[in-house]
Structures are given as C-alpha cells and as structure tokens.
Amino acid sequence: MNVTLQVWRQKNATAKGQMVKYEVKNISPDTSFLEMLDIVNQELIARDEDPIAFDHDCREGICGMCSLMINGMAHGPEHATTTCQLHMRSFKDGDTIYVEPWRARSFPVLKDLIVDRGAFDRIIAAGGYISVSTGSAPEANVIPVPKENSDLAMDAAACIACGACVAACPNASAMLFTAAKVSHLALLPQGQPERHKRVIDMVRQMDDEGFGHCTNIGECSIACPKEISMDFISMLNRELIKATATNKE
Amino acid sequence: MAPALALYRSTIGKKVAMALTGLILVGFVVAHMLGNLKIFTGSQHLNEYGEFLRTVGEPLFPYSVLLWIARIVLLGSVVVHIVAATQLTMLDRASRPERYVFHKKQQATYASLTMRWGGLIILLFVIYHILHFTTGAAHGNFIEGDVYHNVVSGFQVWYVSVVYIAAMVALGFHLYHGVWSMFQTLGLNSSKWNGLLRGLSVLTALVVAGGNILIPVAVLAGFLS
Ligand code: FES
C-alpha cells in the first residue's frame, strides 16, 4: 500500500519546526507503524538526510516509550493500542497520515517527534513510591489484600506513563496519569503509611510542572492504551480532599 | 480555614470550589424553576409566592432579610465559581502553547467543550434577567410587585422569549456536564455510581431547562395572558 505522511520535523528544542511531506510506497499492510517509519528513515539515510527522530523501546506495548499523535489521536486510531502495536492495516491505501509529537508546555519537543517527559518522572519522584526497608524479602502473601482492591490497584498500575492522556486532553492535564499512580498505591496496604503525604506532594508537583487542570472531558481515558478509567480521577480528588482535611503539617 | 486554603492552592482545590459553589447554584436553579411554575396556577398564586419570598422568616427576620441573605450567598457563589474558572482557564491556555496541526476529538461531548462559553452566556443572561424581571430597568412595562403581569407582558415580546429560551438551552448544556462533573470533582464518583450520576445530570438539565422554557412558550401560544 502507498500512503502520504505529514510529519513534524524540528531540528532541536529551540528550532522552529514544520510539517514535512513524505510519500511512502509499497508498504505491506502487516508492517507495524514504527517499522514503516524505520523504512522511511532508511531511505532518508540513503539519501543523506536526517532520519525522523521518534521514541520507542520495547515495541510490545509495555514500556511506555513510544508516543505520536497519529491523525490527531494519541497512539493512532486503534482502541487500547500503543503506537508500537499499531499496524498499517489500520489505514487505507492512499491515506494521508499526520504524525505529530505530544503537545504540552510540560512536554517540550526535543527533536522531531521526541518530547521530554521528565515531568512525569518528577511527579513520581515527589511521592509515587513506597518506602521499604531493604534486606531479606518478606513472605509475599503475609499481608492480606482484598481481591477487589488488588484488582482495582492492578487496573491503575497498568499505566505505562506514556503521556497519551496529556497529549489527548484539551487542557494538557496530567490528571489521569497522576490519578493512576496515586490510586494504585492508595488501594494497597503497603501504600498506607505515606498515603496522605503522597497525594499532596504528587498533586503539587503536577501543578508545578504546568499541566492544565481536568475538565472531566474524558479524552484521556479513550486515548489511554491501557484503558485507565476516569474513576481514578475521582479517586484522586477524594484522596486529596481527605489528605488536606486531615493534614497536620 | 487553613486546609481549605491549602486545597484551593491546587488545581483540584479550585475545582472543588467550583463544585461546591456549583452545588449551591444547581440547588438555586432547581428551586427557582419550581417557583416559576406557580405561574400556571394563576396570577394571585405567583404574586403571593413573590411576596412570600420577602416575608419568609418574619418576625424573626425582618422583611426581605432572608431573601437578601440568599442573594448574597448566591452572589458569593457566582463570584467564587467564576474566579476559580478564570484562574483554571488561564492555566489551561498556557498548558499547550503549540497546538496540533491535526487533532481529532474522540468522545468529548458538546456540553463538556462549551462550559466556558456557555458559562459566559449564562452570566450575561443573569444580568439581563435581573434588569428585566427584578429591577425592571430592561422591561418596557414593569409594575413593581405584579410578577404575573411582568412575566406575561415581558414574554409577549417574541424576541425576549427567544433570548430566554436560548439561555435556558445554554443552561441545560452547562448542567448536563456540570452536575456530573460536580460529583466527579468531589471524589464521589465510581463505576458503581457513574450511570446513576450521568442520569441525574441529564434529568437536572432537562427538568430545569424544560420547566423554564414552558413559560415563554405558554405566553407566546396565548395560554397565559
Ligand atoms: S515501545 Fe514500548 S510501549 Fe511502545
């Protein structure tokens, strides 16, 4: 199949970028989207041009490195799919495909389609962890966890921190990400000691990073390759209200 | 007070402020609509109801005092609601300086995307509405205390009715997203309640907008005169 690509090209973080058109010929529908970009890049390299820079790592939907706004949708048109799991069969012969980086003030473009998602790391560093004493591993099942909670915690923990929620949100809000990370630990016994401090610190960091706020529109949850529910945003709000009301500091 | 201020400093806290003031305002529009429907029971009832709002609480509260307390609470709620919305909107505007060349919304509802413009329309309408039916400044044929006469003669001007109906449609959209959002923001939503809360917001929007729209329609149709 043949497609036309419109790709955001930007030399570096300070350069002005623009959309550049590429004609892609004779691609098998079973090529993955990133393989298609690899093929385009090989041709660019052969022509002595700068290849298109994009993020990727595992290419099996688990690491959260891949990104891309494809035809205006984070991770492309397929539901619950990362860009690396997307195939050319999701498009039609002759299609024009727009490929852009995540857009948010807090995710500055570094080059072409690569953005700096360090803001997410800083939100995690602000409290998205539990403190444990290292040493010999304790018996895994010694602390009982209600099945309902462990299921829900697993749903939240499915977040791979790819940033699609921010990219899809009309306000570039990081609420779904922060909600998933806060809820995941708030639901488990190991998360209890730091529960209140965690939510206060993580929300503060999220705000400081300059993300927008949540207007409950729900574009995040639809774009999320791991189908994180907006219920977790409600849970985050509840956690913050409770934590602030009982905060002793 | 300190926890409330600490909360307000965060974006979530500003939304909580919007949700709580929204709750007061939703309560008000529902009650206001129910009161308005008294017009269908005749002029005497409606005028008595208007008077009742001023005498309620007497003698403990002097004439009109409770009404003024309610007005101040409502005005305060409107101010907080708008200040928080403005602060949040500014943050959002700054959060994506470079827009997408091509962006497709996947499921956002019309109502959820028009909360800001819709809110502004409602604000302008409220100002007009007060000048029209409360002070009478924007009413060509205003008689102090004769609520029934003011409403009927006001709505007999067809374009006034159109403005009211359009404003109620805007209010309906605002409530449709706002009522559900309120629960979501206060952390009271979960998959168990979601369907019910969505239903409640549809119901609130339809009942408030529909109930109020009945009145200009009835006047224009000659049913009330
Ligand atoms: S590359 Fe790892 S999730 Fe896509």
Side-chain angles (χ1 to χ4, degrees):
Chain A
M1 61 193 282
N2 303 328
V3 294
T4 306
L5 293 184
Q6 288 278 2
V7 183
W8 184 261
R9 300 303 310 265
Q10 181 174 334
K11 262 201 160 36
N12 54 50
T14 50
K16 224 178 107 55
Q18 89 264 15
M19 298 301 276
V20 176
K21 194 162 139 183
Y22 297 95
E23 298 293 345
V24 187
K25 302 250 179 278
N26 294 322
I27 287 283
S28 154
D30 295 326
T31 314
S32 84
F33 193 84
L34 294 185
E35 282 166 348
M36 181 273 296
L37 288 180
D38 291 337
I39 293 169
V40 172
N41 276 345
Q42 284 310 315
E43 290 168 7
L44 290 178
I45 292 166
R47 293 207 304 262
D48 230 10
E49 285 176 40
D50 198 19
I52 302 164
F54 60 89
D55 265 328
H56 61 102
D57 190 9
C58 71
R59 297 210 179 189
E60 54 184 5
I62 55 168
C63 75
M65 245 340 247
C66 60
S67 57
L68 305 187
M69 212 60 180
I70 300 169
N71 278 346
M73 292 169 281
H75 291 297
E78 299 294 337
H79 188 59
T81 305
T82 53
T83 289
C84 60
Q85 297 169 299
L86 181 68
H87 289 81
M88 294 309 289
R89 53 181 171 268
S90 299
F91 302 90
K92 288 197 301 294
D93 189 37
D95 270 2
T96 296
I97 307 171
Y98 287 78
V99 189
E100 295 177 71
W102 289 167
R103 290 278 185 217
R105 179 175 59 161
S106 317
F107 285 170
V109 174
L110 296 176
K111 182 177 166 54
D112 297 338
L113 303 171
I114 297 183
V115 299
D116 178 0
R117 285 172 281 188
F120 272 13
D121 298 336
R122 292 186 290 274
I123 294 175
I124 293 295
Y129 53 79
I130 55 163
S131 303
V132 289
S133 310
T134 52
S136 57
E139 164 59 35
N141 294 323
V142 82
I143 308 170
V145 181
K147 167 96 171 92
E148 210 180 291
N149 285 11
S150 79
D151 284 353
L152 213 50
M154 279 305 282
D155 288 347
C159 169
I160 53 175
C162 62
C165 45
V166 173
C169 174
N171 310 315
S173 167
M175 282 283 277
L176 193 65
F177 165 76
T178 312
K181 298 305 176 192
V182 165
S183 306
H184 152 53
L185 295 174
L187 283 160
L188 295 174
Q190 292 85 347
Q192 299 315 306
E194 290 149 309
R195 182 171 179 174
H196 287 172
K197 185 171 161 31
R198 172 182 306 114
V199 63
I200 291 173
D201 290 348
M202 287 179 79
V203 167
R204 185 182 301 137
Q205 189 64 36
M206 173 186 86
D207 286 345
D208 286 350
E209 293 291 345
F211 291 104
H213 87 292
C214 173
T215 46
N216 301 325
I217 284 175
E219 286 292 304
C220 53
S221 196
I222 294 291
C224 177
K226 299 299 158 187
E227 303 179 278
I228 305 286
S229 161
M230 278 180 74
D231 289 356
F232 291 118
I233 295 185
S234 195
M235 196 181 286
L236 169 64
N237 294 334
R238 183 160 70 240
E239 286 293 313
L240 185 73
I241 295 168
K242 270 199 251 165
T244 321
T246 55
N247 191 20
K248 307 258 160 24
E249 276 172 37
Chain B
M1 207 59 202
L5 287 177
L7 189 62
Y8 189 83
R9 229 169 283 137
S10 71
T11 50
I12 295 177
K14 291 186 181 65
K15 289 214 56 198
V16 169
M18 290 191 66
L20 292 175
T21 51
L23 184 66
I24 294 172
L25 295 170
V26 170
F28 166 71
V29 292
V30 170
H32 190 352
M33 186 277 300
L34 291 174
N36 292 345
L37 292 183
K38 288 225 180 293
I39 197 167
F40 290 105
T41 62
S43 84
Q44 206 196 336
H45 260 118
L46 187 69
N47 291 351
E48 275 169 12
Y49 169 67
E51 191 52 26
F52 160 78
L53 292 180
R54 288 164 178 79
T55 55
V56 66
E58 274 185 332
L60 191 56
F61 292 96
Y63 186 76
S64 260
V65 164
L66 272 188
L67 183 67
W68 273 104
I69 291 175
R71 283 171 173 168
I72 289 164
V73 169
L74 289 171
L75 185 67
S77 302
V78 168
V79 169
V80 171
H81 201 75
I82 293 176
V83 167
T86 310
Q87 289 176 328
L88 290 168
T89 302
M90 310 272 255
L91 285 176
D92 288 348
R93 289 277 142 88
S95 69
R96 179 170 290 134
E98 184 127 28
R99 319 222 122 243
Y100 291 108
V101 174
F102 190 108
H103 189 202
K104 198 155 153 196
K105 298 263 171 4
Q106 297 196 69
Q107 64 89 51
T109 60
Y110 177 76
S112 71
L113 295 171
T114 52
M115 290 303 276
R116 289 162 187 159
W117 285 110
L120 188 65
I121 290 172
I122 294 165
L123 173 67
L124 293 175
F125 166 74
V126 168
I127 294 170
Y128 167 69
H129 179 51
I130 291 172
L131 293 175
H132 187 223
F133 281 154
T134 309
T135 72
H139 196 300
N141 188 4
F142 191 78
I143 301 173
E144 182 77 49
D146 193 349
V147 186
Y148 188 89
H149 161 85
N150 294 338
V151 172
V152 172
S153 64
F155 285 152
Q156 272 163 351
V157 184
W158 68 269
Y159 52 80
V160 169
S161 286
V162 170
V163 167
Y164 271 81
I165 292 169
M168 285 307 112
V169 171
L171 179 61
F173 278 112
H174 206 75
L175 289 173
Y176 169 73
H177 185 67
V179 169
W180 173 81
S181 244
M182 202 162 72
F183 290 100
Q184 174 81 3
T185 299
L186 293 176
L188 302 173
N189 193 16
S190 70
S191 53
K192 204 164 104 201
W193 296 103
N194 195 42
L196 195 76
L197 295 176
R198 288 276 185 195
L200 183 68
S201 56
V202 174
L203 190 73
T204 315
L206 285 179
V207 166
V208 170
N212 283 333
I213 286 174
L214 275 182
I215 299 166
V217 167
V219 170
L220 288 179
F223 186 71
L224 293 172
S225 57

